């Protein structure tokens, strides 16, 4: 019993350590995205002590797009995706086991100690996944902030009125900004946890198995059939 307890304790520590590493990576991605969104603002760039430049030249727009692409790929990608996918699959498996146990006998479900352990694991994993989903959503918003490009377009229009002699050059920059806005709208999709919703196998398992199990549990608890 002591050896079994130590093994489970070590495995639990290793698993949660990997989850902490994945969360730290997501926090770094969010920090990079936050600082990137401030480089076109003089006040915020001065506050966070980062370089500042305006998107009033084609070269600056090219640098801005290249920097955005570089920061999005920075840091470990595949290893973190494997950790997050493993957490999702484990949470999926525990949820399926709990649903099966409830269907087997919901009145005696909480009498078993291992069911309590399953519930604690499920709660911890769901909190972790929700935390990553929140960080990922905020990171995606920072990188997909089209208002920066729209603000630069307005500044260019105002500059055209003040400097008519540079209208042709500023019009070229404005057209590049419009194309960049369209490109970002086409490339950026709503945030997904990497390796999860993009994987059709995991998506189908979640939709068919888990929703069917939840439907069965609700139907068993309420006493009539419900199809989720």
């Amino acid at each position: 019993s002591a050896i079994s307890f130590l093994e489970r304790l070590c495995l639990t520590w290793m698993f949660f350590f990997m989850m902490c590493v994945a969360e730290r990576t997501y926090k770094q991605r969010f920090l990079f995205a936050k600082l990137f969104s401030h480089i076109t603002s003089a006040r915020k760039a001065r506050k966070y002590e980062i370089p500042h430049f305006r998107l009033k030249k084609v070269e600056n727009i090219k640098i801005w797009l290249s920097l955005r692409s570089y920061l999005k790929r920075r840091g470990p990608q595949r290893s973190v995706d494997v950790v997050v996918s493993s957490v999702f699959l484990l949470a999926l498996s525990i949820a399926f086991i709990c649903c099966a146990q409830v269907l087997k006998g919901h009145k005696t479900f909480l009498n078993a100690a291992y069911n309590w352990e399953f519930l604690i694991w499920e709660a911890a994993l769901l909190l972790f996944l929700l935390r990553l989903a929140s960080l990922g959503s905020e990171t995606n918003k920072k990188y997909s902030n089209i208002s920066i490009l729209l603000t630069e377009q307005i500044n260019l229009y105002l500059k055209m009125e003040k400097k008519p002699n540079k209208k042709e050059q500023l019009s070229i920059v404005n057209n590049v900004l419009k194309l960049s806005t369209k490109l970002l709208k086409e490339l950026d999709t709503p945030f997904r946890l990497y390796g999860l919703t993009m994987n059709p196998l995991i998506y189908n398992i979640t939709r068919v198995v888990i929703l069917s199990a939840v439907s069965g549990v609700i139907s068993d608890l309420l006493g009539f059939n419900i199809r989720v």
Side-chain angles (χ1 to χ4, degrees):
S1 300
I3 294 175
S4 176
F5 174 77
L6 289 176
E7 288 179 349
R8 293 168 67 183
L9 184 62
C10 291
L11 289 174
T12 302
W13 180 83
M14 291 174 60
F15 196 80
F16 278 93
F17 174 77
M18 290 190 296
M19 290 197 301
C20 291
V21 171
E23 184 179 3
R24 182 183 177 185
T25 302
Y26 271 69
K27 286 181 179 180
Q28 289 179 346
R29 292 176 184 175
F30 174 68
L31 177 61
F32 293 151
K34 180 181 178 181
L35 295 178
F36 174 76
S37 65
H38 294 338
I39 60 176
T40 56
S41 173
R43 180 180 59 83
K44 292 181 179 179
R46 186 166 51 252
K47 177 181 178 181
Y48 291 96
E49 298 180 353
I50 57 177
H52 163 68
F53 59 88
R54 300 294 298 274
L55 304 180
K56 58 183 180 180
K57 296 181 180 179
V58 177
E59 292 79 6
N60 292 357
I61 300 174
K62 183 179 178 181
I63 294 173
W64 188 81
L65 292 173
S66 300
L67 181 61
R68 179 183 182 275
S69 178
Y70 170 75
L71 291 177
K72 290 193 73 173
R73 295 195 306 266
R74 182 179 173 84
Q77 298 287 337
R78 189 172 301 177
S79 58
V80 174
D81 296 346
V82 171
V83 172
V84 177
S85 299
S86 301
V87 172
F88 180 81
L89 289 175
L90 182 60
L92 200 67
S93 302
I94 294 176
F96 178 75
I97 293 172
C98 290
C99 290
Q101 292 290 336
V102 171
L103 290 175
K104 185 178 179 181
H106 63 272
K107 294 182 179 179
T108 59
F109 175 74
L110 297 178
N111 293 338
Y114 58 85
N115 286 333
W116 282 100
E117 186 176 357
F118 280 144
L119 291 177
I120 293 173
W121 268 91
E122 184 70 12
L125 296 178
L126 288 178
L127 287 175
F128 171 75
L129 290 174
L130 289 175
R131 173 62 175 164
L132 290 190
S134 175
L135 286 173
S137 177
E138 292 298 324
T139 302
N140 188 69
K141 288 180 181 178
K142 296 294 183 181
Y143 282 125
S144 304
N145 191 5
I146 308 298
S147 61
I148 295 176
L149 300 179
L150 296 177
T151 302
E152 294 295 336
Q153 289 183 38
I154 294 174
N155 292 333
L156 285 176
Y157 281 120
L158 296 176
K159 202 168 186 180
M160 286 180 191
E161 295 182 357
K162 292 182 179 179
K163 299 180 179 180
N165 56 327
K166 294 185 178 181
K167 187 174 183 180
E168 182 177 356
Q169 180 182 357
L170 295 176
S171 297
I172 295 175
V173 178
N174 185 51
N175 292 332
V176 175
L177 282 175
K178 289 181 179 179
L179 291 175
S180 301
T181 304
K182 292 181 180 179
L183 179 63
L184 294 184
K185 288 181 179 179
E186 290 291 331
L187 292 179
D188 290 334
T189 56
F191 176 78
R192 294 184 175 97
L193 291 176
Y194 293 105
L196 301 183
T197 54
M198 296 177 65
N199 190 323
L201 178 61
I202 297 178
Y203 173 76
N204 289 328
I205 291 175
T206 305
R207 185 180 61 178
V208 177
V209 179
I210 296 301
L211 290 183
S212 299
V214 171
S215 176
V217 171
I218 296 176
S219 300
D220 183 67
L221 293 176
L222 299 180
F224 52 88
N225 293 330
I226 294 179
R227 300 185 65 181
V228 179

